[in-house]
Amino acid sequence: MLIRKPSDIKPSEITSEAIFLQRRKLLSGAVAGGLLAAGGSMGRAADNAPSAPTLKFKDNVQYSVTEKPNTFEEITHYNNFYEFGTDKTDPAENAGAFKPKPWSVTIAGEAEKTGTFTFEDIIKSHPLEERIYRFRCVEAWSMVIPWVGFPLGDLLKRFGPTSKAKYVEFTTLLDPKQMPGQRSDTLPWPYVEGLRIDEAMHPLAFMVVGLYGRDLPNVDGAPLRTMAPWKYGFKNGKSIVKIRFTATQPRNTWNILAANEYGFYGNVNPEVDHPRWSQATERRIGGSFFGARQKTLMFNGYADQVASLYQGMDLRRDF
Ligand code: MTE
């Protein structure tokens, strides 16, 4: 990410904990009562939180942190989505007209079943769950986000990856008409990211289709994006149109742009600094005007679950 001074969230935009807790109570009650219908989305409520959940999902407590999530307003107004501009506020300003439906995803490469599938084909047969994940950007800011989705590995397995599939590559939509940022060459388009197959199959790796119980907002990568919470945000491509199983390590956008600054792995690691700044601490968005600074945790706090994936690797070299 380019170095720029982040414009901070105004304190007036922060939903109080009481309102948040009240909403969550309503939400789980509605799910338990089977009252929610799938699909659709509704306008933003006056308190800057979504007015009502529209997706049917279960809370996944096992994979959720207990820290207070950021508000819907924060999560949708402080974004990196260079397809809509390079400033944190650009996606909120420029992504409103983007049409995430109809949508299709092409499955390609080392798999038994390849082809192009509608978004509905992709998500059907996957029960949705909510996971409250920590989110750490490589730029040393962080949030806590209640995503709705399903395990990425469950989706990938449906296409029967062959024994040659050692990596998975994710490609974002290329559509300069809808994505004004793609009309200039800030990044080599389309945005591409990748995971090793065992990372992609890890139970924490998530395919996200919703936020705060409603369809994923455009600014966060509608209609679907990946989320590996132990990695820096840049590893999680948005608005994915292609998933390709590969035998060799795919290139990833930020690595193509600056290989000495952004590696393939992008694992959160407070001991390995970015060449231009420290990764030891992070600024948690919200709470106070500048956001409280806190220590960054190894693998973003998910070390117990994921450290074994990297046993024997030199994390300074494979950053
Ligand atoms: N995906 C695409 N297609 N384009 C992007 O610019 N930015 C990445 C990642 N995925 C990016 C992307 C970076 S740097 C971050 S930090 C996260 O998206 C931000 O996700 P969020 O805006 O939902 O918080």
Side-chain angles (χ1 to χ4, degrees):
M1 282 86 302
L2 311 176
I3 330 174
R4 49 187 69 249
K5 193 177 174 303
S7 47
D8 286 283
I9 306 287
K10 289 193 236 88
S12 60
E13 292 172 343
I14 295 158
T15 303
S16 77
E17 186 163 25
I19 293 171
F20 172 74
L21 291 174
Q22 196 186 4
R23 281 196 42 260
R24 275 194 69 76
K25 219 169 141 194
L26 283 170
L27 197 65
S28 37
V31 170
L35 295 173
L36 303 178
S41 72
M42 298 171 77
R44 202 189 308 152
D47 71 348
N48 291 330
S51 53
T54 52
L55 298 172
K56 194 174 177 179
F57 62 89
K58 284 197 177 140
D59 291 348
N60 186 325
V61 182
Q62 188 194 351
Y63 287 126
S64 290
V65 296
T66 52
E67 288 151 75
K68 181 186 164 195
N70 282 87
T71 63
F72 184 80
E73 181 75 5
E74 288 161 355
I75 299 164
T76 55
H77 286 76
Y78 194 84
N79 301 95
N80 276 329
F81 201 171
Y82 277 38
E83 284 81 346
F84 295 103
T86 54
D87 279 345
K88 298 282 177 285
T89 49
D90 284 346
E93 273 169 35
N94 301 328
F98 179 69
K99 296 254 172 308
K101 307 238 173 102
W103 195 263
S104 54
V105 178
T106 299
I107 308 292
E110 304 290 347
E112 280 155 20
K113 192 174 167 190
T114 56
T116 298
F117 303 86
T118 64
F119 174 75
E120 290 70 24
D121 279 341
I122 291 284
I123 65 162
K124 78 170 178 223
S125 76
H126 294 286
L128 298 180
E129 40 182 275
E130 182 188 72
R131 298 180 175 196
I132 303 174
Y133 274 167
R134 284 192 205 99
F135 178 89
R136 169 63 155 82
C137 179
V138 73
E139 296 161 325
W141 52 268
S142 66
M143 295 201 200
V144 174
I145 305 185
W147 301 116
V148 176
F150 52 89
L152 176 61
D154 288 356
L155 176 69
L156 299 180
K157 278 179 214 147
R158 273 173 52 198
F159 304 103
T162 69
S163 57
K164 287 191 193 151
K166 304 286 185 229
Y167 298 88
V168 196
E169 179 191 74
F170 302 92
T171 306
T172 293
L173 179 70
L174 178 63
D175 186 355
K177 280 204 186 106
Q178 286 206 81
M179 297 175 141
Q182 289 181 336
R183 292 175 214 151
S184 56
D185 55 5
T186 33
L187 294 182
W189 308 112
Y191 195 96
V192 180
E193 258 307 334
L195 294 171
R196 225 171 49 194
I197 192 91
D198 57 342
E199 297 178 315
M201 294 290 181
H202 190 281
L204 277 174
F206 209 39
M207 183 56 96
V208 173
V209 297
L211 171 71
Y212 265 114
R214 60 196 301 208
D215 289 343
L216 191 61
N218 288 349
V219 293
D220 293 293
L224 80 171
R225 60 96 59 87
T226 61
M227 190 48 61
W230 68 97
K231 292 180 177 282
Y232 292 121
F234 75 90
K235 291 300 297 175
N236 303 294
K238 296 175 165 185
S239 305
I240 290 164
V241 291
K242 189 171 179 186
I243 299 177
R244 190 168 68 97
F245 296 94
T246 66
T248 52
Q249 185 174 300
R251 301 291 312 270
N252 52 315
T253 294
W254 282 97
N255 181 263
I256 295 168
L257 209 71
N260 63 326
E261 302 193 8
Y262 309 101
F264 172 77
Y265 283 92
N267 288 321
V268 176
N269 189 339
E271 288 158 24
V272 177
D273 286 338
H274 185 279
R276 291 186 276 128
W277 61 82
S278 164
Q279 294 291 25
T281 63
E282 68 204 45
R283 186 172 59 90
R284 176 61 55 85
I285 300 295
S288 69
F289 188 73
F290 293 106
R293 274 218 100 78
Q294 60 186 52
K295 280 194 172 156
T296 288
L297 302 172
M298 189 65 201
F299 295 115
N300 205 21
Y302 297 95
D304 286 351
Q305 292 100 317
V306 301
S308 60
L309 290 172
Y310 309 103
Q311 230 159 26
M313 278 175 57
D314 177 355
L315 299 179
R316 286 190 176 278
R317 202 195 59 190
D318 288 319
F319 55 93

